[in-house]
Amino acid sequence: MYTSKKNSNFIELSMKNSGMAGKIKTIILEDDFFLKTILEMMCKQHPDILYLGAFEDVGPAVSCIERELVDLVLLDVQLRSSNGYELLKHLPSSTRVVVVSSNPATEKPEVPNPVTAFLSKPVRKEQFLQLIVDIKQQMDKFG
């Protein structure tokens, strides 16, 4: 299931800040090998995504964010070594965050901003594709 978080704190992303008009610079923070591999494959195959990398822990993801302006983070919050929400305090306000969770209903009440959407595990390709369409439309609208 894919759901979008619609509220007054919805983050608008400007394409002029992305550094590569038309492409969604994306990273993955996921410690499950199987799911990470599936997300990587979908990102690499999507023409609107510039895939920057996948990380299993917050520290290396922060290092990437310090080097690159990231448009989208696919975020697992229940990591073995840390809480994925720790990454949020290192993100610029323009970065969109999609929580990838096996229990999105239980994640939602605790969700800090700037989370904009949820993908349910297991992630289905149709859900992922719709998510990217929605994000791309928002980027085009506010660019």
Side-chain angles (χ1 to χ4, degrees):
M1 180 172 89
Y2 156 61
T3 57
S4 179
K5 182 181 173 192
K6 307 261 187 215
N7 65 30
S8 62
N9 296 314
F10 189 78
I11 302 300
E12 299 175 357
L13 177 65
S14 171
M15 278 305 297
K16 61 187 167 199
N17 294 330
S18 74
M20 187 158 192
K23 296 282 186 174
I24 305 167
K25 290 179 155 185
T26 304
I27 66 169
I28 299 166
L29 181 57
E30 173 63 63
D31 60 357
D32 178 271
F33 177 79
F34 182 70
L35 182 56
K36 181 175 62 171
T37 302
I38 290 170
L39 290 171
E40 283 179 313
M41 180 183 67
M42 288 192 282
C43 286
K44 288 177 180 179
Q45 292 176 352
H46 200 289
D48 290 327
I49 292 178
L50 178 60
Y51 174 69
L52 300 176
F55 307 93
E56 295 182 4
D57 195 21
V58 173
V62 169
S63 295
C64 177
I65 290 164
E66 290 172 347
R67 290 187 315 271
E68 290 282 342
L69 180 58
V70 174
D71 298 319
L72 175 63
V73 177
L74 301 175
L75 179 69
D76 178 13
V77 290
Q78 296 179 348
L79 302 168
R80 286 182 208 102
S81 60
S82 62
N83 182 324
Y85 286 141
E86 290 296 313
L87 181 68
L88 300 182
K89 59 185 152 189
H90 301 280
L91 294 176
S93 62
S94 62
T95 302
R96 294 179 181 271
V97 177
V98 174
V99 172
V100 182
S101 175
S102 54
N103 298 310
T106 60
E107 298 290 344
K108 288 180 185 179
E110 305 169 18
V111 173
N113 294 319
V115 174
T116 57
F118 295 83
L119 276 176
S120 294
K121 293 180 185 177
V123 176
R124 293 191 333 257
K125 187 172 185 176
E126 303 81 32
Q127 295 170 328
F128 179 81
L129 293 174
Q130 184 59 53
L131 169 75
I132 299 305
V133 166
D134 292 348
I135 289 173
K136 180 81 167 113
Q137 286 175 347
Q138 287 294 323
M139 291 172 70
D140 291 345
K141 180 178 178 181
F142 295 108

